[in-house]
Amino acid sequence: MERRQLLEQWLKDQFPARPFTLQPASADASFRRYFRASFDDQTVIVMDAPPQHEDCTPFLRVAEILAATGVHVPEILAQNQALGFLLLSDLGSTTFLQALNDRVESAHQLYGEATDALVKMQLSHQADSLPVYDDVLLQKELDLFPDWYIAKHLQADLTEKQQAALRTVFSRILQNNLAQPKVLVHRDYHSRNLMVTSPNPGIIDFQDAVHGPITYDLVSLLKDAYVHWDEERILDWAIRYWEKARKARLPVSTDFAEFYRDFEWMGVQRHLKVLGIFARLNYRDGKVAYLNDMPLVMHYLRKACERYRELDPLLNLLDELHPAESSGQKVGYTF
């Protein structure tokens, strides 16, 4: 039976004799799909996660861990893991991204609430029960950049010298990221996965959570692939988060300059990964729209590389791959 029919039948079994309408709610970068079921007096969300492609277990486990921290995540109303269906409470249809596009002046409040929730998540005592964001996983993510962005998207072959330069920079990035204190990491804590709700924010798409570097989710939030903020504002929000984190006794550096350097280096890792993922989503999965988000990610990547001499080999490589975008003399401040 087609999955849509199977899903509708399962939903009817959950709500016998209660008519409903079913509309697509969203689809993410995986095989998961979400539908909104509307009844006379309520709406609920149905997750369709085909068992041959997706495992619901991590979603259920992380939902439980996050709920215990006091942040706002969907409530699990019913489940059938054999079929790959979950019934969730509805956190609404307004993402942070939509809210910011509609009313940019709401940014300060929204990001303040998002960093409040981030601190709560990072205080989780169950973080070490999650998969570790180790060198193997970090390296696998970095490799997406040469494999998909350079080779597939740019159709470029690196010289031995360029490959050596990339290996050198990757080693430096891994060394920094692995040395950072570890907490619960959502891994996609950004404007498309934060819903405007009460209490705010509603947090979704958390099934890939890991135990990893403390700056990772802040980078996802403040250097988001889908919304651009100037460096002054990013710096201001980063300071405000850092002050909250210190007050909560999270293991952030007591020196903000050191913390911000870690934040930027974590950003370099994430931007390289995201460029590779966006290329893969286009060429492997036919999701063309992600190509439009590449320039902002590249902008954040280049700005960080310009600030740290240890990242010069990567900046030089980017100049060689994109000669038209080379900015000539590279000037920037260094923390």
Side-chain angles (χ1 to χ4, degrees):
M1 190 185 297
E2 190 185 293
R3 285 200 66 80
R4 173 70 179 250
Q5 293 174 297
L6 201 61
L7 184 148
E8 288 187 15
Q9 186 56 54
W10 180 73
L11 200 52
K12 288 175 183 175
D13 293 341
Q14 306 306 309
F15 298 94
R18 288 188 63 190
F20 60 85
T21 58
L22 198 62
Q23 298 291 334
S26 70
D28 59 27
S30 72
F31 290 96
R32 285 180 299 272
R33 296 184 302 167
Y34 298 86
F35 296 89
R36 177 171 284 105
S38 300
F39 300 85
D40 286 339
D41 58 345
Q42 71 175 123
T43 60
V44 293
I45 297 295
V46 192
M47 179 199 289
D48 172 17
Q52 68 271 32
H53 298 299
E54 301 288 340
D55 179 7
C56 290
T57 307
F59 183 95
L60 294 168
R61 174 67 181 137
V62 179
E64 181 184 1
I65 291 173
L66 291 180
T69 70
V71 298
H72 191 187
V73 293
E75 183 184 352
I76 313 298
L77 305 174
Q79 58 182 282
N80 187 320
Q81 293 193 57
L83 292 176
F85 297 144
L86 297 181
L87 189 64
L88 312 171
S89 60
D90 189 355
L91 300 189
S93 57
T94 305
T95 64
F96 268 36
L97 182 58
Q98 291 166 316
L100 292 165
N101 286 335
D102 291 342
R103 200 166 65 89
V104 71
E105 62 270 22
S106 65
H108 187 70
Q109 177 183 344
L110 292 177
Y111 279 83
E113 290 167 338
T115 50
D116 286 345
L118 180 56
V119 168
K120 286 183 181 179
M121 289 196 300
Q122 292 178 333
L123 287 168
S124 172
H125 297 300
Q126 303 179 71
D128 57 5
S129 68
L130 294 168
V132 180
Y133 215 171
D134 58 13
D135 57 337
V136 175
L137 182 52
L138 285 164
Q139 183 65 58
K140 182 180 177 182
E141 292 183 344
L142 285 171
D143 288 341
L144 293 168
F145 180 72
D147 293 349
W148 285 94
Y149 182 79
I150 295 177
K152 191 71 176 176
H153 182 60
L154 299 182
Q155 297 283 300
D157 292 318
L158 297 184
T159 65
E160 288 188 15
K161 182 179 178 182
Q162 289 173 326
Q163 290 178 36
L166 201 56
R167 284 195 298 271
T168 297
V169 172
F170 280 5
S171 176
R172 291 171 183 171
I173 293 169
L174 287 173
Q175 186 177 9
N176 172 276
N177 296 346
L178 292 169
Q180 293 187 30
K182 290 183 175 58
V183 292
L184 185 151
V185 176
H186 178 294
R187 281 181 85 188
D188 274 311
Y189 195 72
H190 57 65
S191 62
R192 287 187 174 177
N193 290 332
L194 297 174
M195 310 302 294
V196 178
T197 59
S198 182
N200 209 31
I203 302 169
I204 61 172
D205 204 21
F206 43 70
Q207 62 282 333
D208 294 326
V210 291
H211 188 218
I214 193 167
T215 60
Y216 191 93
D217 280 343
L218 190 67
V219 166
S220 302
L221 180 67
L222 302 186
K223 294 190 177 184
D224 185 342
Y226 311 110
V227 57
H228 177 249
W229 301 111
D230 60 43
E231 293 183 331
E232 184 178 355
R233 194 179 291 220
I234 290 172
L235 192 60
D236 178 63
W237 284 331
I239 291 170
R240 291 172 187 273
Y241 159 82
W242 175 73
E243 289 172 340
K244 293 175 187 177
R246 288 192 69 199
K247 187 175 181 181
R249 305 201 173 188
L250 281 168
V252 291
S253 173
T254 55
D255 181 341
F256 178 74
E258 288 181 13
F259 171 78
Y260 199 73
R261 183 182 187 276
D262 285 347
F263 166 83
E264 293 229 283
W265 278 64
M266 191 77 249
V268 171
Q269 190 274 347
R270 179 166 169 81
H271 302 325
L272 290 167
K273 175 186 88 165
V274 169
L275 287 169
I277 287 176
F278 284 178
R280 187 175 68 185
L281 284 166
N282 175 62
Y283 297 104
R284 189 191 70 183
D285 303 332
K287 298 183 178 183
V288 183
Y290 287 96
L291 294 183
N292 299 327
D293 301 311
M294 280 184 174
L296 177 55
V297 180
M298 180 61 75
H299 165 78
Y300 282 137
L301 174 61
R302 290 186 64 91
K303 295 301 281 187
C305 288
E306 287 171 6
R307 279 196 278 274
Y308 302 96
R309 283 184 286 277
E310 304 97 317
L311 297 175
D312 275 353
L314 177 55
L315 187 59
N316 292 335
L317 176 61
L318 295 175
D319 287 344
E320 291 163 5
L321 293 171
H322 300 279
E325 295 174 23
S326 175
S327 55
Q329 185 179 5
K330 293 174 273 293
V331 178
Y333 59 86
T334 301
F335 283 101

